[in-house]
Amino acid sequence: MKFAYKFSNLLGAVYRRGNLTFSRDGNSVLSPVGNRLSVFDLRNNKSETLPVSTAKNITSVALSPDGNLAILVDEDGAALLVSLVTRAVLHHFHFHKPVHSVSFSPDGRKFVVTKENVALMYHAPGKTHEFNAFVLDKSYYGPYDETTCIDWTDDSKCFVVGSKDMTSWVFGAERWTNLIYYCLGAHKDIIVGCFFEQGSLDLYTVSQDGTLCIWESDTELDGLLLGDREKPEEAESEEPQGEAAEEEETRQEDGQPPSEVIRGKADGNKEKDGRENVRYKRRGNLVCPDRCVTGDRLRVPCLGQLLVWEWQSESYVFKQQGHFNNMAALAYSPDGQYVATGGDDGKVKVWNTNSSLCFVTFSEHSSSVTSVAFTSRGFVIVSASLDGTVRAFDLHRYRNFRTFTSPRPAQFSCLAVDGSGELVCAGAQDSFEIFIWSMQTGRLLEVLAGHEGPVSGLSFNPVRSILASSSWDRTVKLWDMADSWQTKETLRLTSDGLAVTHRPDGQELAVATLDGEISFWNPMTAMQTGSILGRHDLQMGRKETDKITAKQAAKGKSFTTLCYSADGQSILAGGQSKFVCIYNIKEQILMKKFEISCNLSLDAMEEYLDRRKMTEFGSLALMDEGVGDGDTVALSLPGVRKGDMSSRHFKPEIRVTSLHFSPTEWKLSLGLLIYSLDSGVVFDPFDLDLDVTPSSVRRQVREAAWAAAIVLAFRLNESALTREVLEAVPHEQIEVVCSSLPDVYVEKLLSFVATELEKSSHLQFYLTWAQRLLTLHGQKLKNRSGAILPTIQALQKSIQRHFEDLSKLCDWNIYTIRYAEALSRQRGLKRPAAEPASEDEVSDAMSEESGEEVHMLT
């Protein structure tokens, strides 16, 4: 099996910490999410996560004025220069200390970085090739405490820096004779925002207590005078010391010229040598809430959510919120359009895979959601929770229409829905029972007893009415749903069962156990067919509070979630590790291991502890100065699995709680990471020889040998060339070409059509190809339904998405016609002699115009 996967997107989290940044046109917002950066398109209502990541959580983001470059800085001061055009990292840089804010000048020639109590101005990277993209120009000193914020004037002549010492400092980007620095102090709390007025030196400063000070300058921007090349008196200082000395030493080692150092004084706002310097006076104070203001919109990050508020109309332009706590479960809809997630915050969220946005949130649960599932038709979501309820949600009306409960209070840990969508089963972790309800009536049909430990997993056989349940009692029981709910077979395991799942064809069962093993069983004969020992593939890291090494800790780790691929040839496994493993079932070997995150802000990421954090008393992570009982060593509560919530501060541990395959991508919940098939990284020709070249393919196209050209293009296996050949075929020749294709190329062509249909604007053209292939070769494709299932599901997903988009467009056009007709009647305009078309005629005409094949195939 030849495949390659790449990171595709991140769902489930919209904001963690750091600053938000608008694009220049105001149509996009850049939001840091952990160690990645998400771009939210406000105009098209979509989001995208860049395929770049920093070593730790991002704290500062700066966007260049042209929108082509972004600077990302993490907690330790490590910076990445990223191209937003190519989505690639251009340069690495380290500021050696935590950075508070970064900001480009409006002309794009400079950018300022603030760390500790200094502001560093760098030359912005240009379009020319440079050995060092970050060249220090000037260092500005003035605040006595850490800096907090930056803002520039519109013409890039000056910038202002806010500080925790309750002062704001205005600095000149050039050597202005009448403005080198100016200190503004009137606040009684930390400065959180500084903003220049448009086209002026007047500015506004906001402190943490909600006070807004308005500062008026006696000089306009045009009144700034450029001095000579010699340093003015105020800029002269002693030799650089401390942080400045380190910067200069680093620059000299790199062979760079020394930078200019400007030191300000709090009492230095006065004239010297008869010059009239720029002066400020406070015009007034206001009390206001703290928000980030840009143009007509406010961006408000809070508690893991992102709000974009249009202040003139007092309405939300954009609102997204992820799970407040850990994401515990996920499920993929049958058509691949939606993903449902459940979290420890008790919420069930539904995400659109095309826009990557959440469009509905159900908050009826009062405790953690442990499992979610779609019914076979994809319009109902069922969720189980520790609050003792199983709830069914309708995606048509967005409501909770069924609530299933047990006779006695129980905590449900797993969930399964049968293929018909009629039976809903949930396993309890305290009473060791399995409860079965009817979806139609909501009544409890049966309680299955027999397990002697908590029920950890449930899975229905896709083709038979058999339910498999795994438990901590080291057994997997097969229950016959058609024969009085009796136990059909009991499979004995080597250790506690943690997860169970069926192969898509129902002919195999996979079970993950506590000893790190994945065992495979034949559900018909109850015989074990194979096993994979995957404990060594987990490679668990060492937590900061662990007393034992990572190698010893890995002996107690195991896989907690399993998922078959659509063709059933491979299985995906994840657990208490930063790795996700894909195994070949037939060969029982590891095919690929993915590192889902490199974020060192998470716990258990490194195999060895950092020696710099070790003291003679042990690890610094074990020290808690605020415990108050005289013992400074923090001890975790026994039995804690998801972080000790009793601690004053703790690092979230990396783990994979749920996995799910789709036709073209697989998803896992850590946030919600999406990895998609990468078909463009490998040159993989099919039946290649010397006569198969791009020129020979194009020669066949010129000779109108369409079938031969398609065959040659697939043998060369280049997507661009195949697309060129396919779109050169006349519309009336599609049926003839499809009928003359060899059987081996029918599946390849259908897979290519499904891929192109998702992103191409030639909707009717590719729908015609799909319809003719399915009509002429339907019987042969049906015999290989298991192998082509991913292709059919991808085709269905694309058709369904286009159908929904066109339906909305047609409905909108109908409403527009009705409005125009009503408006003309209201104004008393003369109507034509002919009778107006009825609503049904308008709808039918627009449906034909948008393509009959959409309705035919759906």
Side-chain angles (χ1 to χ4, degrees):
M1 179 181 177
K2 298 179 181 180
F3 66 92
Y5 284 94
K6 64 178 180 179
F7 175 80
S8 177
N9 209 342
L10 171 65
L11 281 71
V14 295
Y15 175 79
R16 278 297 176 262
R17 59 173 299 188
N19 64 295
L20 302 175
T21 305
F22 271 108
S23 61
R24 189 175 183 86
D25 57 6
N27 293 329
S28 299
V29 175
L30 278 66
S31 173
V33 183
N35 67 331
R36 296 185 181 272
L37 183 69
S38 294
V39 181
F40 294 91
D41 189 345
L42 305 180
R43 179 179 294 273
N44 300 315
N45 206 32
K46 291 184 178 181
S47 73
E48 177 190 8
T49 302
L50 302 184
V52 297
S53 58
T54 56
K56 289 191 174 182
N57 288 335
I58 298 174
T59 57
S60 300
V61 179
L63 181 66
S64 63
D66 57 5
N68 295 332
L69 298 176
I71 298 177
L72 314 180
V73 187
D74 67 10
E75 296 173 347
D76 288 345
L80 297 180
L81 178 64
V82 179
S83 170
L84 299 182
V85 178
T86 62
R87 303 298 198 260
V89 177
L90 304 180
H91 185 66
H92 293 261
F93 191 81
H94 208 297
F95 293 105
H96 304 292
K97 294 290 179 65
V99 171
H100 303 296
S101 54
V102 185
S103 179
F104 275 92
S105 62
D107 59 6
R109 298 174 56 190
K110 304 288 181 65
F111 68 90
V112 173
V113 176
T114 62
K115 62 176 184 178
E116 294 187 331
N117 65 333
V118 60
L120 306 175
M121 186 165 65
Y122 289 83
H123 292 284
K127 298 180 180 179
T128 59
H129 296 282
E130 299 166 332
F131 176 75
N132 186 7
F134 290 1
V135 178
L136 182 62
D137 182 28
K138 295 182 181 67
S139 300
Y140 296 88
Y141 291 84
Y144 294 97
D145 205 341
E146 294 181 353
T147 53
T148 57
C149 52
I150 309 172
D151 193 43
W152 286 82
T153 57
D154 294 338
D155 57 1
S156 306
K157 292 183 178 180
C158 302
F159 64 92
V160 60
V161 175
S163 173
K164 289 185 178 180
D165 64 3
M166 298 175 288
T167 62
S168 302
W169 291 75
V170 181
F171 293 106
E174 301 293 341
R175 298 192 186 101
W176 310 115
T177 58
N178 53 346
L179 177 60
I180 301 174
Y181 62 86
Y182 202 98
C183 178
L184 305 173
H187 286 280
K188 299 179 180 180
D189 207 340
I190 297 173
I191 305 297
V192 296
C194 301
F195 309 97
F196 275 107
E197 192 171 305
Q198 185 175 3
S200 172
L201 280 174
D202 297 348
L203 59 90
Y204 306 87
T205 56
V206 184
S207 59
Q208 192 168 327
D209 59 3
T211 302
L212 170 68
C213 288
I214 306 173
W215 303 90
E216 186 176 17
S217 171
D218 62 354
T219 307
E220 297 296 331
L221 287 173
D222 297 338
L224 296 177
L225 304 177
L226 188 62
D228 53 16
R229 303 305 298 175
E230 297 181 358
K231 293 182 181 179
E233 183 179 350
E234 291 90 343
E236 294 179 356
S237 64
E238 66 277 3
E239 291 295 325
Q241 299 177 359
E243 186 70 23
E246 295 179 7
E247 292 285 344
E248 290 301 325
E249 183 178 352
T250 303
R251 290 175 57 80
Q252 292 175 9
E253 291 176 356
D254 296 339
Q256 301 178 20
S259 63
E260 183 179 347
V261 178
I262 298 178
R263 291 187 179 272
K265 301 178 181 179
D267 59 348
N269 303 332
K270 57 185 180 180
E271 292 83 359
K272 292 186 179 182
D273 299 335
R275 298 193 306 263
E276 291 187 2
N277 289 346
V278 175
R279 298 184 64 87
Y280 280 92
K281 65 177 181 180
R282 189 171 45 159
R283 194 168 59 191
N285 287 355
L286 294 173
V287 178
C288 66
D290 174 25
R291 289 191 178 103
C292 307
V293 186
T294 302
D296 296 333
R297 295 173 178 173
L298 307 178
R299 56 188 189 276
V300 188
C302 54
L303 296 178
Q305 65 178 337
L306 176 62
L307 307 177
V308 180
W309 191 55
E310 207 278 319
W311 62 272
Q312 291 180 338
S313 62
E314 298 184 0
S315 61
Y316 290 118
V317 176
F318 185 85
K319 182 178 181 180
Q320 282 290 297
Q321 183 177 13
H323 288 281
F324 182 69
N325 291 325
N326 297 329
M327 190 182 299
L330 68 90
Y332 215 118
S333 65
D335 59 359
Q337 292 280 347
Y338 310 117
V339 174
T341 60
D344 289 346
D345 56 358
K347 294 181 180 179
V348 176
K349 290 179 172 290
V350 188
W351 307 79
N352 188 304
T353 57
N354 297 314
S355 65
S356 303
L357 299 179
C358 174
F359 64 92
V360 62
T361 299
F362 302 105
S363 55
E364 282 78 8
H365 284 295
S366 58
S367 186
S368 300
V369 177
T370 56
S371 182
V372 292
F374 276 91
T375 58
S376 57
R377 299 192 64 181
F379 299 117
V380 174
I381 297 175
V382 186
S383 62
S385 173
L386 295 180
D387 63 2
T389 64
V390 175
R391 298 178 183 270
F393 303 98
D394 184 6
L395 289 185
H396 286 305
R397 297 179 178 86
Y398 302 133
R399 63 187 180 95
N400 175 205
F401 71 95
R402 285 283 186 273
T403 300
F404 309 103
T405 58
S406 57
R408 299 176 300 278
Q411 291 184 321
F412 297 118
S413 58
C414 51
L415 174 73
V417 182
D418 73 332
S420 65
E422 171 59 26
L423 298 179
V424 178
C425 302
Q429 66 180 17
D430 47 3
S431 64
F432 313 155
E433 296 172 327
I434 301 172
F435 299 87
I436 304 176
W437 297 275
S438 169
M439 179 72 78
Q440 293 291 335
T441 62
R443 295 178 54 188
L444 179 65
L445 301 179
E446 187 67 30
V447 179
L448 306 180
H451 282 296
E452 299 176 357
V455 180
S456 57
L458 296 174
S459 177
F460 268 103
N461 192 305
V463 295
R464 303 180 60 201
S465 57
I466 301 295
L467 174 68
S469 61
S470 62
S471 172
W472 290 9
D473 61 3
R474 301 190 175 190
T475 64
V476 171
K477 292 184 179 293
L478 303 181
W479 310 83
D480 193 344
M481 298 290 101
D483 187 14
S484 302
W485 328 100
Q486 298 297 319
T487 304
K488 184 179 180 182
E489 295 287 351
T490 299
L491 312 179
R492 299 293 175 179
L493 306 175
T494 58
S495 185
D496 298 5
L498 300 180
V500 62
T501 184
H502 278 92
R503 200 167 68 183
D505 60 1
Q507 300 300 313
E508 190 176 74
L509 188 71
V511 184
T513 53
L514 189 61
D515 56 1
E517 182 179 341
I518 304 175
S519 57
F520 302 95
W521 301 77
N522 187 330
M524 304 300 297
T525 62
M527 299 294 293
Q528 185 173 351
T529 59
S531 65
I532 296 175
L533 185 60
R535 175 183 295 168
H536 300 292
D537 299 325
L538 283 171
Q539 291 186 359
M540 183 66 184
R542 182 175 180 177
K543 295 193 293 184
E544 290 185 347
T545 56
D546 280 348
K547 307 296 191 301
I548 58 176
T549 63
K551 186 176 181 180
Q552 292 294 327
K555 295 181 179 180
K557 304 303 179 182
S558 56
F559 294 116
T560 58
T561 176
L562 299 174
C563 180
Y564 274 95
S565 61
D567 57 6
Q569 297 181 6
S570 57
I571 192 168
L572 197 64
Q576 299 170 331
S577 172
K578 62 179 179 179
F579 291 103
V580 172
C581 303
I582 297 184
Y583 294 97
N584 184 287
I585 299 175
K586 183 178 180 181
E587 303 294 336
Q588 297 182 5
I589 60 174
L590 178 67
M591 300 173 59
K592 185 74 174 179
K593 184 163 63 174
F594 295 90
E595 185 178 9
I596 58 177
S597 178
C598 60
N599 189 358
L600 299 180
S601 297
L602 301 174
D603 206 358
M605 285 295 298
E606 297 181 285
E607 185 176 357
Y608 302 101
L609 290 181
D610 191 347
R611 294 298 178 185
R612 294 172 295 182
K613 298 181 181 179
M614 299 297 293
T615 66
E616 56 182 335
F617 303 105
S619 174
L620 290 176
L622 295 175
M623 303 299 174
D624 192 352
E625 299 177 354
V627 292
D629 57 357
D631 186 4
T632 60
V633 178
L635 299 177
S636 299
L637 294 176
V640 172
R641 298 175 57 191
K642 299 181 180 179
D644 191 353
M645 302 301 290
S646 67
S647 299
R648 296 177 183 271
H649 55 83
F650 69 94
K651 295 174 67 174
E653 181 183 353
I654 186 169
R655 63 174 61 236
V656 178
T657 57
S658 185
L659 293 167
H660 207 291
F661 254 110
S662 81
T664 58
E665 56 198 4
W666 56 272
K667 302 182 186 297
L668 58 92
S669 61
L670 178 90
L672 180 56
L673 301 176
I674 304 175
Y675 288 80
S676 60
L677 283 171
D678 187 4
S679 58
V681 297
V682 180
F683 175 64
D684 186 19
F686 175 78
D687 194 17
L688 188 64
D689 56 36
L690 295 177
D691 297 331
V692 181
T693 61
S695 59
S696 62
V697 174
R698 293 186 175 92
R699 183 171 61 252
Q700 295 291 338
V701 172
R702 290 193 297 270
E703 295 175 359
W706 313 116
I710 292 175
V711 170
L712 290 177
F714 275 115
R715 290 176 64 183
L716 198 58
N717 203 10
E718 289 187 2
S719 299
L721 185 61
T722 305
R723 186 184 307 109
E724 178 184 343
V725 172
L726 210 62
E727 293 181 358
V729 178
H731 185 271
E732 62 274 4
Q733 294 292 324
I734 292 179
E735 185 170 1
V736 178
V737 174
C738 291
S739 61
S740 60
L741 276 178
D743 294 340
V744 68
Y745 293 99
V746 172
E747 295 180 18
K748 291 181 175 294
L749 180 57
L750 187 62
S751 177
F752 182 81
V753 168
T755 303
E756 290 298 311
L757 186 60
E758 186 172 1
K759 57 185 179 181
S760 176
S761 58
H762 304 296
L763 179 58
Q764 185 175 357
F765 181 77
Y766 283 106
L767 283 174
T768 304
W769 276 104
Q771 183 189 23
R772 298 297 184 267
L773 288 172
L774 294 174
T775 302
L776 297 173
H777 303 277
Q779 188 60 41
K780 296 179 181 179
L781 294 174
K782 186 177 180 181
N783 297 333
R784 290 179 46 82
S785 57
I788 68 168
L789 181 60
T791 301
I792 298 299
Q793 290 180 341
L795 187 64
Q796 180 187 6
K797 174 183 176 181
S798 300
I799 293 175
Q800 182 66 28
R801 182 174 66 85
H802 285 301
F803 176 73
E804 292 178 357
D805 293 343
L806 286 175
S807 298
K808 294 178 181 178
L809 180 61
C810 293
D811 291 341
W812 178 259
N813 289 339
I814 291 175
Y815 300 148
T816 304
I817 293 175
R818 291 177 182 173
Y819 173 76
E821 185 179 7
L823 190 62
S824 63
R825 290 176 179 173
Q826 183 180 4
R827 293 183 177 181
L829 298 179
K830 184 178 180 181
R831 300 199 49 81
E835 287 292 329
S838 64
E839 295 180 3
D840 294 337
E841 292 173 348
V842 172
S843 178
D844 293 342
M846 299 190 74
S847 298
E848 293 177 1
E849 200 172 303
S850 61
E852 297 178 354
E853 287 81 1
V854 178
H855 303 279
M856 189 179 302
L857 289 176
T858 54

